[in-house]
Amino acid sequence: MINIGSYDERIKNFSWEIAEKELEYKKGDIINIGWYCSDRICEMGKSEKIALYYEGFGDKEKSYTFNDIRLAGNTIGTFLRDQGIVAEDRVCLFMDRIPELYLSFLGVLKIGAIVQPLFSAFGDESLLVRLENAQTRAIITQRKHLSKIRKIIDRLPSLEYIIIVDHNPAKELKEKEIPFSLKNSTPVEEMEIYPTTAESPSVLHYTSGTTGQPKGVRHVHYSLISQYLTTKWVLDLQDDDIYWCTADPGWVTGTSYGIIGPWSLGITQCVLDSGFSAEAWYKFIEKYKITMWYSAPTAIRSLMKAGDEVIKRIDLKSLRHLASVGEPLNAEAVIWSEKVFGLPFLDTYWQTETGSMMITNYPGMKIKPGSMGKSFPGITGVVLDAKTYEPITEPGKVGLIAFKPGWPAMMTTYWNNEEKYKEKFVNGWYLAGDRAYLDTEGYFWFIGRDDDVINTGGHLVSPFEVESALLEHEAISESAVVAKPDEVNMEVVKAFITLKPGYEFDDDTELNIMNFIRKKLSPLAMPQEIEFMESLPKTRSGKIMRRILHAKEWGEEIGDTSTLEDD
Ligand code: WTA
């Protein structure tokens, strides 16, 4: 059962002031996401309501009320402030999905510093480039991730504090390493919240492009306005809901809708910090009586693969609303979820850069399985002609997804890279970098990305980053990386390589290279397949033609090869 007004009703007379009013915010006021997600909810009389149910490896369970998260945010914020961290310093969160990750997020924001969440499975090289670019001043982490930081610390002069949340006193600490235990700290009842305003930076998420190093997407505290309203209207969260967002806060879904959206609405949410298993996921829903579930197509496809038998053994009747993001949600997955859960997964489309949902299957609207839906109220979304950059009015014609700038959660720049940021705008439109078409009723149908970025299981991987890391392997002379189709992950990373003289390609070399990338970058960036070539296809000017390799993987026509090297 859905509780919100109809799409047509909402779109008429829409204004972001609706959210501003509900949040009692007026232009020019102080707006601090850390405060809105905890102190304000307590002031509204929900101090004793559960904010977080956490379950980790080995059935470790914890729960926190809104007052607990308010105090924890204060305690962590005050600790950081006492160390000397000030407004706009970048503080990286490099932790598994443990409670400290969620609580530190609030603490960092409360002191006006910028949160830089990074996926804890990142290897030392992935970590290095992102910390270097952001000139990060502090990193909050767990003992288990310390070795990766120790490996790169000498190359990071700006990194002054390495804060360890689970330090073992029997172990020695090195320079800059500081233990911090939330459990053993005296809770800080009151603190001075830093007076951030609409334009103050809040979160810095790194995302991958085709060329160059990852870009730091800079968000501001005002992003709360659209994160709050999209959570309320699309995820349809109500006071008695139990919500589960399966995304890791290393990625934008895990912060916009895994922290800010639900907590700014005072909603109870659940976190499961363990690997994927269909049975464990269903049991988690049963145990916590989850009502609203926001997930991703790869997870849904994996659940489909696990079969329907397991569903029959588990009570999933608490579920009342499902949504998905991150990759194309195929029609079969929507139809399957209606069959087994009695509910369709509603597809939503957005990006790290947009900060909040842009195109959605708005609850109550007619669902067309396989379509991303329509623009959220207040969002002007179009498909542009790739040559003229004029909106295409003809249904079915493929063009570039673009939005009229001006929604509250829009990024304000790429960190230290204003030039790349400016390239995202043409003719007054923000170019998302994806291709789609509109049907006669104005629904968006996703076609693909407009660049070479690989979307594996909803995570964007830059071919450039993987190619550069491959070149650091002793045996590799040249490399080219493309997406390869995959039934579950939609795409996986495939590498083509040539070897240096004296090296042979065999199974051991392949495994060795895979491991090398997994450790250096991440398990996501690790090529699932490596193909040895005598030489890579190149243009006359020597540029590797990924296009040809891509076409080969996807069984497509190769197209114009007139600029190919002719030897
Ligand atoms: C893709 C994740 C098809 C798209 C929130 C986009 C999607 C990129 C969808 C952003 C969807 C996201 N259907 N493709 N519903 N949602 N994408 O920055 O290519 O990690 O540009 O943000 O994922 O990925 P990002």
Side-chain angles (χ1 to χ4, degrees), residues 206-208 217 251-254 257 294 297 324-329 346-356 359 361 370-372 401 424 430 432-435 445-451 453 455 458-460 490:
Y206 275 77
T207 188
S208 299
V217 177
W251 314 99
V252 74
T253 308
Y257 297 101
Y294 193 27
S324 161
V325 64
E327 316 149 65
L329 180 65
L346 301 195
D347 193 12
T348 65
Y349 166 94
W350 56 290
Q351 307 179 298
T352 307
E353 284 87 343
T354 69
S356 61
I359 300 171
N361 278 280
S371 157
M372 306 194 291
I401 301 180
K424 296 292 287 184
Y430 163 72
D434 287 310
R435 289 178 295 120
W445 294 78
F446 188 81
I447 293 291
R449 288 193 59 97
D450 196 42
D451 59 20
V453 170
N455 187 336
H459 300 295
L460 305 186
M490 193 179 80

Side-chain angles (χ1 to χ4, degrees), residues 32 34 38 69-70 72-78 80-81 101-113 115 140 191:
N32 185 294
S38 57
I69 69 165
R70 180 185 75 82
N74 283 355
T75 311
I76 297 166
T78 304
L80 293 171
R81 192 177 262 167
L101 170 59
Y102 297 80
L103 305 170
S104 303
F105 187 87
L106 303 183
V108 174
L109 292 177
K110 281 185 170 192
I111 62 166
V115 184
I140 308 181
M191 77 177 284

Side-chain angles (χ1 to χ4, degrees), residues 290-548:
I290 289 163
T291 55
M292 201 290 144
W293 182 19
Y294 193 27
S295 199
T298 288
I300 300 165
R301 286 191 288 266
S302 303
L303 293 172
M304 279 172 83
K305 237 181 142 183
D308 302 353
E309 272 315 303
V310 51
I311 300 176
K312 293 184 189 142
R313 283 187 270 120
I314 300 171
D315 181 0
L316 301 173
K317 281 196 286 295
S318 56
L319 290 172
R320 69 164 187 89
H321 185 35
L322 319 175
S324 161
V325 64
E327 316 149 65
L329 180 65
N330 33 325
E332 297 88 307
V334 179
I335 294 163
W336 172 80
S337 86
E338 272 205 286
K339 185 184 89 189
V340 297
F341 305 122
L343 300 163
F345 269 97
L346 301 195
D347 193 12
T348 65
Y349 166 94
W350 56 290
Q351 307 179 298
T352 307
E353 284 87 343
T354 69
S356 61
M357 296 172 191
M358 304 304 279
I359 300 171
T360 71
N361 278 280
Y362 195 85
M365 194 169 95
K366 175 172 79 180
I367 294 175
K368 298 189 182 183
S371 157
M372 306 194 291
K374 296 192 192 192
S375 297
F376 183 79
I379 302 289
T380 310
V382 291
V383 169
L384 298 181
D385 182 286
K387 288 205 177 76
T388 62
Y389 295 110
E390 290 298 329
I392 295 173
T393 46
E394 206 181 310
K397 198 166 166 217
V398 176
L400 308 174
I401 301 180
F403 301 100
K404 181 122 281 163
W407 66 96
M410 172 67 177
M411 68 165 165
T412 51
T413 191
Y414 287 126
W415 194 262
N416 269 337
N417 204 342
E418 186 73 10
E419 205 178 306
K420 270 258 170 346
Y421 171 72
K422 286 195 178 131
E423 283 172 15
K424 296 292 287 184
F425 300 89
V426 178
N427 275 359
W429 295 101
Y430 163 72
L431 297 178
D434 287 310
R435 289 178 295 120
Y437 66 87
L438 288 166
D439 68 14
T440 48
E441 291 176 294
Y443 281 66
F444 285 79
W445 294 78
F446 188 81
I447 293 291
R449 288 193 59 97
D450 196 42
D451 59 20
D452 292 335
V453 170
I454 301 164
N455 187 336
T456 179
H459 300 295
L460 305 186
V461 171
S462 150
F464 169 83
E465 242 187 313
V466 184
E467 285 165 7
S468 309
L470 283 167
L471 293 183
E472 288 179 40
H473 188 278
E474 55 177 12
I476 298 177
S477 165
E478 288 177 305
S479 67
V481 165
V482 298
K484 176 184 156 73
D486 183 82
E487 207 188 311
V488 172
N489 290 288
M490 193 179 80
E491 296 182 346
V492 290
V493 176
K494 162 132 194 206
F496 293 86
I497 56 164
T498 64
L499 292 177
K500 286 183 185 154
Y503 286 94
E504 297 249 336
F505 191 73
D506 54 24
D507 284 354
D508 282 349
T509 323
E510 187 182 19
L511 285 180
N512 182 288
I513 296 171
M514 284 177 172
N515 261 322
F516 179 78
I517 299 300
R518 184 175 57 80
K519 282 207 188 124
K520 220 176 187 30
L521 299 180
S522 75
L524 301 170
M526 182 182 85
Q528 299 291 316
E529 196 177 299
I530 299 175
E531 189 172 325
F532 167 75
M533 291 183 115
E534 287 298 338
S535 69
L536 298 179
K538 292 197 203 99
T539 60
R540 283 180 207 282
S541 60
K543 241 177 96 183
I544 293 167
M545 288 191 91
R546 277 200 207 109
R547 185 164 60 85
I548 290 189

